[in-house]
Amino acid sequence: MTEISVLPIDDARARNDAEALRLQECAAEPIRLIGRIQSHGILLAVDESDGRIVAASDNASGWLGRSAADIGSDTLAWAVTHAAAVDPVRADVGGGIHDIIVHRGSSPLLVELEPVDPELEYARSGVVSAIQRLASVTDPDALRVQAAAEIKAVTGYDRVLCYAFHDDGHGQIVADEREPGMEPYLGLHFPASDIPAQARALYIEKRSRVIVDTDDPGVAMSTVLADQVPLDLGPSELRAASPHHLQFMRNMGQAATLSLAIVSDGRLVGMFTCAHRTPRRLPVLLRRALEVLASQVAMQLTAAQEIHALRRRLEARERRVAIVAPLYGRRDAADVLLRGERTVLDLVPADGVLLRVGGAVHALGTVPPADVLLSVVDELPPERPDWDALPLDRPDLAVEIPGVAGLLDVPLGSGGDRLVFVRSEVAREMQWLGDQRADNRDDDLSPRRSFSAWRESVTGRSLPWDDHRLDAAELGAEIQAALAARRQAELAELALRDALTGLHNRRFLGDRLDALMAGPTPRLAVIFLDLDDFKVINDTRGHEVGDAVLAAIGKRLAGVARSSDMVVRLGGDEFVIVCVGAGQSDAEYVARRAITAVGEPIAVDAAVLTVSASAGVVAAEDGMSASDLLDAADAAMYRSKREGGGRVSA
């Protein structure tokens, strides 16, 4: 029965510290310089300058110091100068048939000899057939399971596992093909220290690793080199395993293993591990074929993941566009992002979000007090925007915002504008490969004694942000772009507006009227309106009162104009109304309404003032330019003034 354990936050921190210590100690273990090989083979180190064997495993110590050409095998001598590890050479050496594996680029040159056992001569055609069958599998989960089954069928190992590595380094068993009666491991997680960093780095360089017998004491290396520096055995097939790893295997009931790397874009994203309960060896040519199979699986997984990622990004982009597009208009940013038909929480799921923009703070959902949350964000390192275990990682700050375990900070440019998404703690059950507690180890650095499934209820964590980190970052970039574009549009709009009345200005009139008059003569008319004796108000009441009167008149003119008309303040006390789609009579009607509206009393402070206006109206005619039309309307306005003002002239 699987044991269930609830892990308190303090215990979780202690276990995280112990795991960090194991990772640190494992990283310091010199696995490349171990100085021993597995005893079923022979390893030689050859000085390429003279062909002399400068180091050898103790089971070939008689060859130490001799030339490779003097060993008695012409094929061996040829291999030393021509062969490569990817394509082993078979030869009779010392009275036995061996596969010779030469590692070009090593210094001194590493040459390995693996004895050929006729009983181990597997047909590599089985791997070719397996690759062909796997080529049509597109679902990543099904691909891993079927590949594990194919590898088990070809190799005959008792169990074949497929691992997938998570972003934090820990792994999960995603396929488990095993003999009847063996304990199931499918779905179980294991800590990053089970396969430490330097071991993972080796799998990038060397795509397979075989351990034939966990009880093999191995064979030491000897050298005639004066410096006695240990050989770098990283690329070798025969390199012995560390005592820690051998004990780990024995504790799992494994006597022999073969591991195959799954590498994507230069990263170790998973592995196939074949395990046997008794010693077992595979010939190198079959291992090479299985490396090709693992590479094929890696390519198919990468392609499937890229297709999935592309689809997901397209869907996310559609959601971002729907959320951000209204920002390019005049709507309030908080209304758009937090109160629209779609909100930022539709793109980045969270319990709540805080928005600070333009000095104002807004919230949606469940969030801590804004000042407290923002102070916590200010304390967090800016290079790390996302947290999903704040009570574990930063307990000093988590106490300030109780109930929050996950936090994702999205800066919106300078000035402190930002989106802050928060997630509450979610209790999750994790099933581990073996009890992760300290009492399942001899000490903190020892391997686990038992690997039976162990279930743990994890606290102090939110749901992981995963792909939503990228969604949030791209959302932030698009919000910044939209706000910047809106600011530019507002500045451009201000350049075409009269600051006092808010009406369009002379520049706008010139641009639009030129554009309207550039083609065939349009149906439009211009009203040129001038206030009568407005100078008296400025002289007797002051410019502040005069400005208030002008602002009020601007509002009245905008109110009487049609929706298609353009109302412009030319400057001073002169206004223009461009009646688009109107003839002479229509424009005269608008002009009379405008004069009536202007003549209504205007209350400024304690005074009530009355102003009159004169207007000239001219409809566009063939051959007229924009300036001709304005000049004609201006002349008509002056005729109105000469006739006594307060009227419309054509």
Side-chain angles (χ1 to χ4, degrees):
M1 180 180 294
T2 303
E3 182 182 354
I4 302 177
S5 174
V6 177
L7 187 67
I9 288 179
D10 288 344
D11 290 351
R13 292 193 198 110
R15 203 176 78 198
N16 287 347
D17 291 344
E19 171 67 0
L21 177 62
R22 280 191 294 275
L23 285 169
Q24 180 180 343
E25 290 295 322
C26 289
E29 189 176 15
I31 60 174
R32 303 179 70 108
L33 308 176
I34 196 164
R36 301 182 72 80
I37 67 167
Q38 299 176 66
S39 61
H40 64 275
I42 294 171
L43 190 143
L44 310 174
V46 179
D47 185 337
E48 289 188 85
S49 65
D50 58 12
R52 189 168 58 103
I53 298 172
V54 296
S57 52
D58 286 353
N59 54 1
S61 58
W63 297 346
L64 194 59
R66 298 169 60 184
S67 170
D70 297 336
I71 300 302
S73 171
D74 293 339
T75 305
L76 173 62
W78 179 90
V80 168
T81 55
H82 295 88
V86 71
D87 192 15
V89 175
R90 186 158 291 184
D92 186 338
V93 181
I97 304 300
H98 293 76
D99 284 322
I100 302 172
I101 308 152
V102 181
H103 299 277
R104 297 287 163 202
S106 57
S107 181
L109 183 70
L110 297 182
V111 180
E112 298 183 274
L113 286 76
E114 289 192 15
V116 173
D117 185 342
E119 295 182 0
L120 299 179
E121 286 301 281
Y122 297 85
R124 281 180 290 160
S125 60
V127 179
V128 175
S129 300
I131 291 174
Q132 292 172 339
R133 287 189 291 271
L134 293 172
S136 62
V137 182
T138 57
D139 178 73
D141 294 333
L143 177 61
R144 294 183 180 103
V145 171
Q146 186 169 333
E150 296 282 5
I151 293 170
K152 185 177 185 302
V154 169
T155 63
Y157 279 86
D158 291 332
R159 185 197 297 265
V160 177
L161 302 171
C162 183
Y163 304 152
F165 295 121
H166 292 258
D167 289 343
D168 64 358
H170 95 273
Q172 185 175 8
I173 298 169
V174 292
D176 178 12
E177 296 296 314
R178 63 191 186 278
E179 288 295 299
M182 297 184 74
E183 186 174 2
Y185 291 157
L186 182 62
L188 302 185
H189 297 251
F190 56 87
S193 59
D194 280 4
I195 307 173
Q198 81 275 35
R200 298 189 192 207
L202 261 178
Y203 278 110
I204 303 296
E205 175 184 340
K206 186 181 183 311
R207 299 300 173 87
S208 70
R209 169 72 163 137
V210 64
I211 297 174
V212 171
D213 185 356
T214 56
D215 289 328
D216 177 14
V219 178
M221 297 291 300
S222 299
T223 180
V224 295
L225 296 174
D227 56 17
Q228 297 287 312
V229 174
L231 290 175
D232 180 359
L233 301 180
S236 69
E237 304 287 332
L238 295 169
R239 175 175 57 87
S242 73
H244 178 94
H245 185 66
L246 292 174
Q247 186 60 52
F248 181 98
M249 290 176 59
R250 287 191 288 267
N251 289 357
M252 282 195 76
Q254 299 172 347
T257 58
L258 167 66
S259 296
L260 302 162
I262 303 174
V263 177
S264 174
D265 295 328
R267 296 185 306 113
L268 185 70
V269 297
M271 291 173 58
F272 290 105
T273 292
C274 312
H276 210 61
R277 289 169 287 189
T278 57
R280 190 170 187 81
R281 182 161 69 89
L282 292 186
V284 64
L285 291 177
L286 180 56
R287 301 200 303 269
R288 291 291 181 270
L290 291 169
E291 290 173 5
V292 174
L293 184 150
S295 295
Q296 174 68 26
V297 169
M299 286 190 291
Q300 290 180 235
L301 288 174
T302 300
Q305 288 161 357
E306 287 176 350
I307 291 170
H308 171 77
L310 178 59
R311 287 175 177 165
R312 190 191 176 284
R313 291 194 69 177
L314 289 174
E315 292 170 358
R317 184 178 182 277
E318 290 178 0
R319 290 195 293 272
R320 284 199 311 274
V321 168
I323 294 168
V324 175
L327 274 183
Y328 287 90
R330 295 180 177 274
R331 289 181 57 190
D332 177 71
D335 284 342
V336 169
L337 299 174
L338 305 185
R339 294 185 282 273
E341 183 178 347
R342 291 189 178 184
T343 74
V344 294
L345 293 182
D346 292 313
L347 182 68
V348 183
D351 293 294
V353 61
L354 181 142
L355 169 67
R356 181 165 69 182
V357 61
V361 177
H362 312 269
L364 175 64
T366 303
V367 297
D371 56 340
V372 178
L373 178 58
L374 290 171
S375 68
V376 167
V377 172
D378 289 340
E379 290 293 321
L380 293 171
E383 64 274 10
R384 181 179 172 183
D386 59 290
W387 303 77
D388 58 15
L390 205 61
L392 301 177
D393 298 334
R394 290 299 303 268
D396 56 321
L397 297 178
V399 296
E400 301 294 328
I401 46 175
V404 173
L407 185 150
L408 179 57
D409 179 34
V410 186
L412 301 178
S414 58
D417 287 355
R418 62 195 343 107
L419 281 165
V420 183
F421 296 89
V422 294
R423 287 178 175 174
S424 60
E425 177 181 289
V426 175
R428 290 182 294 158
E429 282 194 353
M430 293 275 286
Q431 293 196 74
W432 291 96
L433 182 63
D435 190 335
Q436 300 298 302
R437 292 173 296 189
D439 54 9
N440 193 31
R441 301 176 186 269
D442 293 338
D443 56 62
D444 281 346
L445 302 181
S446 299
R448 300 185 295 287
R449 291 190 295 268
S450 168
F451 289 86
S452 295
W454 180 72
R455 185 177 299 169
E456 171 188 60
S457 180
V458 179
T459 60
R461 293 182 178 274
S462 71
L463 291 175
W465 295 104
D466 292 340
D467 291 336
H468 292 126
R469 288 192 294 262
L470 178 60
D471 294 339
E474 291 180 340
L475 173 66
E478 293 195 12
I479 290 173
Q480 290 183 64
L483 293 176
R486 189 159 80 170
R487 285 191 292 269
Q488 290 297 320
E490 289 170 350
L491 290 174
E493 176 72 9
L494 286 175
L496 301 175
R497 290 278 179 182
D498 174 60
L500 177 62
T501 63
L503 300 176
H504 292 299
N505 59 17
R506 182 186 293 271
R507 177 179 172 185
F508 174 86
L509 176 65
D511 292 344
R512 291 301 304 275
L513 203 54
D514 283 342
L516 289 169
M517 299 294 289
T521 302
R523 177 176 168 79
L524 65 80
V526 169
I527 302 169
F528 201 117
L529 188 145
D530 183 269
L531 302 183
D532 298 326
D533 299 321
F534 184 73
K535 184 175 182 299
V536 174
I537 293 178
N538 277 334
D539 291 345
T540 60
R541 300 284 185 174
H543 286 281
E544 187 174 342
V545 172
D547 287 347
V549 171
L550 289 172
I553 289 172
K555 289 181 180 179
R556 292 181 180 183
L557 293 177
V560 300
R562 303 171 308 165
S563 60
S564 59
D565 296 341
M566 294 180 288
V567 183
V568 176
R569 182 189 177 208
L570 283 184
D573 56 0
E574 293 180 332
F575 297 84
V576 168
I577 302 175
V578 180
C579 299
V580 180
Q584 182 73 29
S585 60
D586 294 331
E588 289 179 4
Y589 173 74
V590 173
R592 286 191 292 271
R593 291 185 62 201
I595 288 175
T596 300
V598 169
E600 294 290 332
I602 300 172
V604 180
D605 294 334
V608 177
L609 305 176
T610 302
V611 180
S612 65
S614 300
V617 179
V618 175
E621 297 178 359
D622 291 343
M624 272 188 171
S625 66
S627 60
D628 292 340
L629 186 57
L630 281 175
D631 289 344
D634 186 28
M637 180 271 295
Y638 274 107
R639 285 196 294 273
S640 174
K641 281 189 178 291
R642 287 194 296 270
E643 294 171 1
R647 67 191 65 199
V648 177
S649 292

